[in-house]
């Protein structure tokens, strides 16, 4: 059972790009545990723990949370396990770190997901480590709908740090 709280903004307001920054003040945003969703068909792999609202014309929803990276931990990879309807762009400390089901290039408030995607399971996205720092980090995720008349939105995410304790050569793997 995930106890991580996510702050979220679901009013349909264009927040530009500043909302992804570590220093952005989201204290006035509502919070809740994942899954955060409005889904009528009961197809999600986890229960909905925070209800969201949808509205015709609303394309983008914003989510933020903080996590601590222990000093001395040296991950070789970050993996996001997403439950999302329809697409997402993931930012780490204000820098885009990965995306799922979104077109290439610049993503804006009105950019639609590449295709319709039902949140029936987990999608794994490998994230860039470039902006990861020891101590507090901020994940900021924008979820985009595929169309203007979507009747559902789903978001949940688990972040896993992959840490190698042996080099492949030391483990007897390799050439």
């Amino acid at each position: 059972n995930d106890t991580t709280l996510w702050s979220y903004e679901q009013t349909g307001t264009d927040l530009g790009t500043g909302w992804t920054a570590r220093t952005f003040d989201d204290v006035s945003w509502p919070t809740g545990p994942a899954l955060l969703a409005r889904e009528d068909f009961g197809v999600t792999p986890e229960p909905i723990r925070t209800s969201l609202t949808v509205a015709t014309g609303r394309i983008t929803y914003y989510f933020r949370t903080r996590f601590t990276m222990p000093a001395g931990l040296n991950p070789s990879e970050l993996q996001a396990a997403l439950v999302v309807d329809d697409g997402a762009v993931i930012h780490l400390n204000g820098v885009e770190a990965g995306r799922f089901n979104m077109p290439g290039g610049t993503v804006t408030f009105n950019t639609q997901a590449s295709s319709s995607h039902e949140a029936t399971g987990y999608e794994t996205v490998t994230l860039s480590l470039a902006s990861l720092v020891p101590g507090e980090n901020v994940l900021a995720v924008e979820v985009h709908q595929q169309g203007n008349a979507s009747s559902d939105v789903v978001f949940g995410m688990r972040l896993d740090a992959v840490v190698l304790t042996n080099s492949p050569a030391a483990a007897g793997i390799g050439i």
Side-chain angles (χ1 to χ4, degrees), residues 29-144:
W29 289 13
T31 61
L35 288 179
L36 301 102
R38 164 64 190 211
E39 171 61 67
D40 294 330
F41 301 109
V43 298
T44 60
E46 295 278 338
I48 296 170
R49 295 180 181 95
T50 303
S51 293
L52 298 177
T53 59
V54 295
T56 299
R58 190 175 302 159
I59 299 296
T60 305
Y61 296 76
Y62 303 97
F63 303 90
R64 290 173 50 90
T65 196
R66 295 171 174 359
F67 70 94
T68 301
M69 174 71 168
L73 189 66
N74 189 18
S76 60
E77 192 171 275
L78 284 179
Q79 292 181 344
L82 289 172
V83 178
V84 66
D85 180 329
D86 289 307
V89 180
I90 304 162
H91 306 269
L92 179 59
N93 296 322
V95 177
E96 183 178 329
R99 54 175 80 181
F100 172 76
N101 197 31
M102 293 297 294
T106 302
V107 172
T108 67
F109 174 72
N110 291 317
T111 302
Q112 295 184 17
S114 297
S115 62
S116 179
H117 180 274
E118 291 301 320
T120 57
Y122 295 91
E123 305 295 341
T124 301
V125 177
T126 299
L127 302 181
S128 169
L129 295 169
S131 60
L132 183 67
V133 298
E136 185 178 83
N137 290 268
V138 173
L139 281 171
V141 182
E142 53 189 284
V143 171
H144 292 256

Side-chain angles (χ1 to χ4, degrees), residues 4-53:
T4 299
L5 291 180
W6 289 86
S7 300
Y8 60 95
E9 208 292 327
Q10 64 173 345
T11 63
T13 302
D14 183 350
L15 298 182
T17 58
W19 72 278
T20 67
R22 289 179 69 193
T23 56
F24 180 82
D25 183 3
D26 60 12
V27 71
S28 65
W29 289 13
T31 61
L35 288 179
L36 301 102
R38 164 64 190 211
E39 171 61 67
D40 294 330
F41 301 109
V43 298
T44 60
E46 295 278 338
I48 296 170
R49 295 180 181 95
T50 303
S51 293
L52 298 177
T53 59

